[in-house]
Amino acid sequence: MSASGGVVSILAPQAALAHAVARVAAHSFAIVARNTRGDSVYLKPEGCAFALRISNHARTPKQRKNHPDAITSLVIRTPQTERSVDALVEQALQNFAGARRTREASEQSA
């Protein structure tokens, strides 16, 4: 039960990933790539060179090579509540914004 007395539903990892993708997309990010297994999704805001990655595993060297534009990753490996996924998404969006500012500043000074 949640603090409000309602039942807390637990999302399986794949459902939690789908929920995270939907929440990031709600912040004006669009899916720009997805791996063949569907367990890694890359999203970018319109007109942005950088991506936010959502996956069930850490990035592999091949993924780093194929998607050097991914500056933030959100990894979900275990079942989660919607509330915990929402908190992870908010943190990932903050991390993305900070990394984007840093990258854009370093590109301007180069």
Side-chain angles (χ1 to χ4, degrees), residues 17-32 34 41-46 52 54 74 89-90 93:
L17 287 169
H19 182 71
V21 169
R23 296 291 293 151
V24 169
H27 288 271
S28 301
F29 280 68
I31 296 172
V32 295
R34 186 185 300 262
V41 179
Y42 296 83
L43 300 100
K44 290 183 178 182
E46 186 175 333
L52 188 155
I54 300 174
L74 168 54
V89 166
E90 288 304 317
L93 290 168

Side-chain angles (χ1 to χ4, degrees), residues 77-100:
R77 293 185 178 107
T78 59
Q80 303 283 328
T81 64
E82 281 189 23
R83 177 177 273 169
S84 66
V85 172
D86 292 345
L88 291 170
V89 166
E90 288 304 317
Q91 185 64 56
L93 290 168
Q94 289 174 13
N95 292 344
F96 179 86
R100 181 179 179 182

Side-chain angles (χ1 to χ4, degrees), residues 47-83:
C48 181
F50 305 113
L52 188 155
R53 175 182 174 268
I54 300 174
S55 185
N56 66 357
H57 61 279
R59 291 175 74 195
T60 65
K62 181 180 178 182
Q63 288 168 320
R64 289 183 192 282
K65 180 181 170 201
N66 290 342
H67 291 281
D69 56 331
I71 58 173
T72 301
S73 286
L74 168 54
V75 177
I76 298 176
R77 293 185 178 107
T78 59
Q80 303 283 328
T81 64
E82 281 189 23
R83 177 177 273 169

